[in-house]
């Protein structure tokens, strides 16, 4: 355990005990950890790994940096903010607004609560003031966020802005009003795709006058969804150009790696990035916490189990409430949110029943009034503790709490900072605790504070050249306006789009005429059947057999593994059993009821290399990236008792699934592996363990979740002729994850190695090499062998050329 000051803010003098550290002592004392007294005594304690506290880093408060109002901001716009108590913009707000005003596309990528809205509100409102006909379009990934932004704009109470919502909930007459009279329309990509662009003729006046397009929370546009949105924005800009407008783009993003490059990929235009955050930040102590292994329990294949992050968080919540600290605990699943506070409530009831009533649960699906009441209770102090799922994350106005407990890394640094940003006030230091779940990514982060606190390494990836996304998007575009040669070259990416168009013409979907590509039907609109949020493999509806009520949908790609006949399926905290899966019809029929066991699907998979796009050959190790074909089949499932015991194995007869996608892979010389101490019998387990951990760590570099990628390892691959490990995208055509993995391979595998070594288990557990989605039941796995495999690959990469990142590799090795 180490206690220090944030690395990039070094030189801040001795650590003073602020409120955050006092709260941390309380949490430590409650854990019964041996390190508690030593921290209390203020002694930094290097190398003690007995307690659950891995690192505690104190981030001092950051002073605000303001700028003068730009001289083009009209007095009444300025006065509106002054009424709200804002007397000068922060430096990043002014910088981004200035760029947007000069018609330079801009992305502002700064922290939570840094007032990114003002960066686009200033230029839009100033333009509205000068040009009474100008219009603007705001796009956000969720309806809730758009509604919050619309409310904030209305609060400025400026005349002639005429903001109007245009989303799935907007009634018909209000939609008509938005179209005819709205100057600032608040919408989302789904509505742009399905409603606005297909009927652009009705929006001609609005589009002709369109001066700004705001793309909020743009880091959420990643993977397949991001690839769709990238092409959707190109569709919008092309239609605008036809009406004679060229709106300036203003994007707002969480802090991610290379925001300008990402924004360029998303929009197809050159976008300037503003990343220097001028907003003030409260001082905080960030504690990284790894729950202990529980020797009395075992998991799959006898693996040790850690105390669950949710249990640990409930205990912390109770301790902090006892201390009078207003605390928000974030847990990852809805079930955990339902279970979190009762845990804390029980603990509190033993000490002070009055306090137990000041703890509550919050989850999505609440009515807006319920949600607001809960938030008001927490901000006002009537409530001291709230446990919540990630539902509270976007667009909710809670700040200034004393402590935030994050149970399980929320998947991205951006989300983590968003959640931790709820804690801290100007003069009062706050505590933020990240409690690791049993997952290799969490293990890595609590052992490597720089990965959270240093410069961002996670990037947003998407691939607007994916033919599986280009195909339906080009059809939609052609139905909006016939596609001309220069559209294909200048807007939709050239050769890749031309190849897709040729196929669409061959298939009779589009018609080729001398003037371009045409959608033949004037009545039907293709957008309705193009799902921009799906994987491209369709959806399976989960339907209650008795009533026909639809409970939800499952992605077609994962349906055979999650809703096969006989599967136990959890949905919103309820347990169902799947009676029948009809893949043709896209329906899984379920009945309510908990059979007292859970199910685990087993599958087989083959990966075939279709085309190598890049390769580095170091002899003993060869690294490749390219097109792969993944053929998989779910073959059976296990019924497991709650303690994990296998009750039965049931065979399944499901069709093969074929996925053409992108992959990154390495193959190794078998003799070299044996020389490194991995006997042939150990090779399968060593490769398999290295594959699992690498999949678990990819989200550190490319924002994704583990369902976006898959993997396969084999001791002898027929094409490479050697032991081989594949990691591949989970979507047809790929979505950029394997590509990013290939680009940062050395850093990615160094982090993978570090996560395995950091885990104190002996032979492998869910915190390092076991995977919750393994089709092989997490066997065989060889933890020590995986480290040797990764050493061999890292050594080869280090010798591969000057682009290898020595620093990151050294960091990974030092951890061993
Ligand atoms: Zn482990
Ligand atoms: Zn596996």
């Amino acid at each position: 355990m180490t206690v220090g000051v944030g690395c990039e803010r070094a030189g801040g003098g001795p650590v003073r005990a602020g409120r955050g550290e006092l709260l941390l002592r309380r949490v430590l004392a409650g854990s019964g950890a041996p390190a508690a007294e030593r921290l209390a005594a203020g002694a930094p304690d290097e190398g003690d790994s007995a307690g659950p506290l891995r690192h505690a880093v104190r981030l001092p408060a950051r002073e605000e940096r303001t700028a003068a109002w730009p001289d083009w901001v009209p007095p009444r716009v300025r006065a509106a903010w002054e009424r709200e108590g804002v007397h000068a913009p922060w430096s990043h707000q002014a910088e981004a607004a200035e760029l947007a005003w000069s018609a330079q596309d801009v992305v502002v990528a700064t922290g939570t609560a840094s007032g990114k809205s003002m960066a686009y509100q200033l230029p839009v409102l100033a333009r509205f003031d000068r040009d009474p006909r100008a219009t603007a379009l705001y796009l956000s990934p969720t309806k809730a966020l758009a509604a919050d932004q619309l409310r904030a704009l209305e609060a400025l109470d400026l005349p002639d802005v005429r903001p109007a919502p245009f989303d799935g909930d907007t009634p018909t007459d209000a939609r008509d009003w938005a179209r005819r009279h709205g100057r600032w329309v608040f919408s989302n990509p789904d509505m742009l795709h399905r409603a606005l662009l297909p009927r652009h003729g009705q929006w001609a006046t609005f589009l002709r006058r369109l001066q700004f397009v705001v793309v909020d929370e743009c880091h959420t546009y990643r993977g397949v969804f991001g690839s769709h949105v990238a092409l959707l924005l190109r569709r919008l800009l092309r239609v605008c150009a036809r009406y004679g407008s060229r709106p300036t783009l203003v994007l707002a993003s969480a802090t991610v790696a290379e925001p300008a490059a990402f924004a360029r990929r998303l929009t197809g235009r050159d976008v300037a990035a503003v990343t220097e955050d001028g907003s003030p930040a409260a001082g905080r102590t960030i504690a990284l916490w790894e729950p202990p292994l529980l020797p009395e329990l075992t998991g799959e294949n006898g693996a040790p189990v850690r105390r669950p992050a949710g249990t640990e968080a409930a205990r912390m919540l109770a301790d902090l409430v006892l201390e009078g600290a207003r605390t928000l605990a974030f847990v990852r699943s809805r079930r955990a949110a339902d279970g979190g506070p009762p845990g804390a409530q029980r603990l509190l009831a033993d000490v002070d029943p009055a306090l137990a009533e000041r703890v509550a649960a919050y989850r999505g699906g609440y009515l807006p009034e319920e949600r607001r009441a809960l938030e008001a209770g927490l901000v006002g102090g009537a409530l001291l503790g709230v446990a919540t799922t990630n539902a509270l994350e976007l667009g909710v106005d809670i700040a200034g709490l004393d402590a935030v407990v994050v149970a399980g890394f929320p998947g991205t640094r951006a989300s983590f900072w968003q959640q931790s940003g709820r804690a801290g006030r100007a003069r009062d230091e706050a505590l933020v605790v990240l409690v690791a779940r049993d997952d290799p990514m969490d293990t890595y982060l609590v052992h490597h504070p720089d990965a959270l606190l240093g410069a961002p390494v996670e990037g947003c990836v998407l691939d607007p050249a994916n033919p599986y996304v280009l195909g339906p998007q080009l059809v939609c575009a052609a139905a909006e306006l016939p596609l001309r040669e220069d559209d294909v070259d200048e807007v939709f990416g050239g050769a890749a789009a031309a190849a897709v168009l040729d196929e669409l013409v061959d298939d009779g979907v589009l018609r080729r005429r001398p003037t371009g590509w045409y959608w033949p039907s004037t009545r039907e609109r293709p957008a309705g059947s193009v799902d921009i949020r799906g994987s491209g493999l369709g959806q399976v509806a989960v339907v209650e057999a008795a009533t026909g009520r639809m409970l939800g949908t499952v992605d077609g790609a994962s349906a055979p593994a999650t809703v096969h006949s006989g599967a136990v399926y959890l949905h919103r905290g309820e347990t169902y059993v799947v009676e029948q899966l009809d893949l043709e019809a896209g329906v899984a029929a379920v009945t309510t009821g908990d059979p007292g066991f859970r199910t685990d699907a087993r599958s087989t998979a083959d990966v075939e290399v279709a085309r190598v796009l890049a390769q580095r050959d170091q002899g003993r190790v060869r690294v490749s990236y390219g097109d792969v074909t993944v053929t998989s089949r779910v073959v059976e499932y296990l019924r497991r008792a709650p303690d994990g015991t296998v009750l039965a194995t049931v065979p399944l007869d499901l069709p093969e699934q074929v996925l053409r996608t992108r992959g990154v892979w390495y193959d190794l010389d078998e003799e070299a592996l044996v020389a490194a101490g991995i006997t042939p019998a150990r090779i399968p387990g060593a490769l398999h363990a290295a594959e699992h951990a690498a999949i678990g760590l990819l989200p550190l570099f490319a924002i994704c979740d583990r369902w976006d990628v898959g993997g396969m390892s084999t001791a002898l691959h027929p094409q490479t002729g050697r032991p081989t490990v594949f990691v591949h995208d989970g979507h047809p055509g790929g979505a950029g994850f394997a590509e990013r993995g290939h680009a940062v391979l050395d850093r990615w595998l160094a982090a993978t190695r570090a996560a395995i070594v950091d885990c104190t288990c002996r032979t492998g557990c869910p915190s390092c090499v076991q995977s919750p989605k393994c089709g092989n039941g997490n066997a065989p796995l060889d933890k020590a062998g995986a480290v040797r495999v990764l050493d061999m690959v890292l050594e080869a990469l280090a010798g591969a050329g000057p682009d290898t990142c020595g620093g990151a590799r050294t960091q990974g090795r030092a951890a061993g």
Side-chain angles (χ1 to χ4, degrees):
M1 181 196 75
T2 52
V3 177
V5 175
C7 39
E8 70 268 50
R9 298 166 185 85
V15 178
R16 283 175 293 121
R19 169 91 163 139
E21 277 183 39
L22 289 171
L23 294 175
L24 178 56
R25 277 177 210 171
R26 184 72 189 83
V27 166
L28 264 170
S31 77
E37 306 84 51
R38 267 170 281 168
L39 181 80
D45 184 7
E46 298 286 340
D48 178 3
S49 59
L53 180 64
R54 291 284 161 267
H55 291 274
V57 181
R58 185 168 163 269
L59 302 180
R62 183 180 66 214
E63 297 291 324
E64 68 175 353
R65 273 185 297 125
T66 56
W69 291 104
D71 52 15
W72 43 263
V73 175
R76 66 173 168 179
V77 170
R78 195 169 138 173
W81 263 291
E82 281 170 350
R83 279 197 301 275
E84 300 256 299
V86 178
H87 297 286
W90 287 317
S91 53
H92 64 279
Q93 292 171 323
E95 187 187 349
E98 199 71 67
L99 286 164
W101 181 253
S102 67
Q104 165 65 55
D105 299 329
V106 60
V107 56
V108 50
T110 51
T112 312
S114 63
K116 284 178 281 225
S117 311
M118 191 198 266
Y120 55 78
Q121 285 165 342
L122 278 179
V124 171
L125 294 172
R127 184 60 50 82
F128 278 15
D129 195 74
R130 286 202 187 177
D131 175 357
R133 290 146 62 94
T135 62
L137 176 64
Y138 168 95
L139 298 171
S140 90
T142 65
K143 279 184 288 201
L145 179 60
D148 284 335
Q149 289 296 314
L150 202 146
R151 261 197 302 277
L153 181 64
E154 281 168 342
L156 288 175
D157 197 22
L158 284 162
D160 306 323
V161 177
R162 301 201 300 271
F166 184 71
D167 61 38
D169 296 341
T170 313
T172 310
D173 52 344
R175 288 188 190 195
D176 288 343
W177 191 89
R179 190 160 50 76
R180 292 210 186 93
H181 307 293
R183 288 188 79 195
W184 197 343
V185 171
F186 284 72
S187 191
N188 52 58
D190 309 78
M191 287 299 280
L192 182 63
H193 166 65
R194 281 201 317 269
L196 199 157
L197 285 176
R199 295 180 192 82
H200 60 81
Q202 300 176 357
W203 289 82
T205 310
F206 177 85
L207 292 170
R208 190 178 305 123
R209 298 171 173 179
L210 190 60
Q211 303 273 325
F212 290 97
V213 175
V214 178
V215 185
D216 206 356
E217 299 282 349
C218 69
H219 58 279
T220 56
Y221 302 130
R222 55 190 188 245
V224 174
F225 178 44
S227 308
H228 273 291
V229 173
L231 291 164
L232 184 55
L233 290 172
R234 286 159 176 78
R235 277 163 57 194
L236 169 67
L237 295 172
R238 183 178 76 115
V239 168
C240 285
R242 195 61 62 91
Y243 287 111
S245 64
R246 189 186 191 280
T248 301
L249 306 176
V250 187
L251 298 90
S253 169
T255 50
V256 294
E258 301 161 23
F262 167 65
R264 187 197 164 94
R265 229 174 176 190
L266 182 64
T267 64
R269 304 213 312 211
D270 281 324
V271 181
V274 172
T275 56
E276 284 291 318
D277 195 333
S279 67
R284 277 170 291 178
T285 293
I286 311 281
L288 304 178
W289 195 274
E290 186 174 45
L293 291 167
L294 298 173
E296 64 276 18
L297 284 181
T298 53
E300 193 165 48
N301 307 326
V305 179
R306 288 186 190 281
R307 188 185 298 158
T311 310
E312 199 84 328
R315 199 268 306 160
M316 287 180 189
L317 183 61
D319 280 346
L320 290 163
V321 165
L322 275 173
E323 202 63 16
R326 289 172 313 139
T327 305
L328 190 55
F330 287 95
V331 284
R332 284 204 61 175
S333 79
R334 190 187 183 94
R335 275 193 128 196
D338 291 341
Q345 267 162 349
R346 258 195 311 278
L347 294 166
L348 283 168
D350 289 344
V351 187
D352 183 349
L355 277 180
E357 287 172 11
R358 296 176 68 188
V359 175
Y362 172 94
R363 53 186 199 278
Y366 273 10
L367 295 172
E369 307 87 89
E370 294 173 308
R371 193 178 102 168
R372 304 260 170 236
L374 210 129
E375 289 160 17
L378 189 58
V379 172
L383 281 174
L384 275 174
V386 171
T388 178
T389 60
N390 296 343
L392 257 186
E393 191 179 295
L394 281 181
V396 173
D397 193 19
I398 291 187
L401 300 177
D402 301 306
V404 164
V405 178
V406 180
F409 181 62
T412 65
R413 276 171 43 126
S415 302
F416 174 75
W417 289 111
Q418 186 113 21
Q419 295 178 350
S420 60
R422 307 290 177 196
R425 276 170 302 204
R427 310 234 168 271
D428 234 354
E429 292 207 348
L431 172 67
V432 175
V433 189
L434 171 63
V435 183
R437 285 190 315 163
D438 50 359
D439 173 284
M441 177 85 161
D442 287 35
T443 304
Y444 182 80
L445 289 171
V446 295
H447 285 270
H448 300 268
D450 272 3
L452 265 183
L453 308 170
V457 290
E458 64 179 9
C460 288
V461 303
L462 53 86
D463 182 10
N466 177 337
Y468 295 85
V469 178
L470 261 176
Q473 286 288 337
L474 287 170
V475 171
C476 292
E480 283 151 15
L481 288 170
L483 283 162
R484 298 180 306 211
E485 297 264 3
D486 50 355
D487 290 334
V488 176
D489 291 341
E490 289 157 26
V491 182
F492 292 104
V500 169
L501 284 169
D502 285 346
E503 273 182 41
L504 290 168
V505 171
D506 288 347
D507 294 346
V509 179
L510 294 183
R511 288 209 189 116
R512 180 80 167 103
R513 297 195 195 132
T515 47
W517 290 264
Y518 287 76
W519 168 251
S521 166
T522 49
R523 281 167 294 120
E524 285 171 71
R525 292 192 179 93
S529 55
V530 174
D531 175 11
I532 61 171
R533 291 183 190 254
S535 67
L537 291 173
Q539 299 280 313
V540 169
V542 180
V543 174
E544 202 171 40
T547 60
R549 186 169 63 104
M550 185 161 131
L551 301 170
T553 58
V554 173
D555 199 85
S558 59
T562 53
V563 290
H564 57 78
S565 303
V568 173
Y569 174 71
L570 295 174
H571 180 73
R572 305 204 165 200
E574 290 281 325
T575 305
Y576 300 88
V577 178
V578 180
E579 286 192 349
Q580 205 198 349
L581 169 63
D582 183 342
L583 278 172
E584 295 262 289
V587 174
V590 304
T591 45
T592 318
D594 189 345
F597 58 81
R598 57 190 171 84
T599 53
D600 254 351
R602 292 292 162 86
S603 56
T604 58
D606 268 317
V607 179
E608 195 184 321
V609 177
R611 185 167 57 133
V612 176
L613 295 167
Q615 195 163 65
R616 279 178 279 174
D617 192 345
Q618 296 294 306
R620 296 195 309 162
V621 177
R622 188 167 48 187
V623 170
S624 313
Y625 164 72
D627 292 333
V628 296
T629 304
V630 182
T631 308
S632 60
R633 187 205 288 267
V634 176
V635 290
E636 61 185 23
Y637 70 93
L638 310 182
R639 287 188 188 142
R640 285 183 189 277
D643 70 354
T645 319
V646 176
L647 305 170
T649 302
V650 185
L652 286 167
D653 182 23
L654 283 163
E656 268 183 359
Q657 289 178 288
V658 177
L659 171 68
R660 290 186 177 79
T661 188
R662 290 271 163 95
V664 53
W665 64 97
Y666 56 84
D667 55 78
L668 309 112
D669 177 48
E670 186 175 337
E671 278 174 29
L673 276 173
V674 173
I678 306 173
T679 57
R682 287 181 64 190
I683 290 176
L687 300 177
H688 190 198
E691 171 216 324
H692 277 186
I695 292 172
L697 264 295
L698 188 54
L700 186 61
F701 300 95
I703 299 177
C704 62
D705 68 46
R706 64 190 325 154
W707 302 93
D708 284 324
V709 287
M712 199 279 279
S713 55
T714 170
L716 176 64
H717 189 267
Q719 287 170 292
T720 65
R722 313 208 290 185
T724 307
V725 175
F726 288 91
V727 175
H728 59 79
D729 282 27
H731 307 284
F737 302 116
E739 183 183 7
R740 171 85 174 151
H742 178 249
V744 297
L745 191 68
D746 42 6
R747 286 193 286 157
W748 170 32
L749 295 185
T752 302
R753 183 195 184 280
I756 299 175
V757 171
D758 288 338
C759 185
T760 51
C761 77
R762 258 177 3 97
T763 57
C765 74
S767 299
C768 54
V769 298
Q770 288 193 341
S771 160
K773 57 171 278 200
C774 180
N776 272 328
N778 281 305
L781 289 175
D782 184 333
K783 178 177 171 174
V787 176
R788 293 191 192 175
V789 165
L790 290 166
D791 277 338
M792 253 179 82
V793 180
L794 288 167
E795 270 159 32
L797 288 172
D803 64 320
T804 309
C805 178
R809 185 172 154 264
T810 310
Q811 185 192 347
R813 319 217 91 210

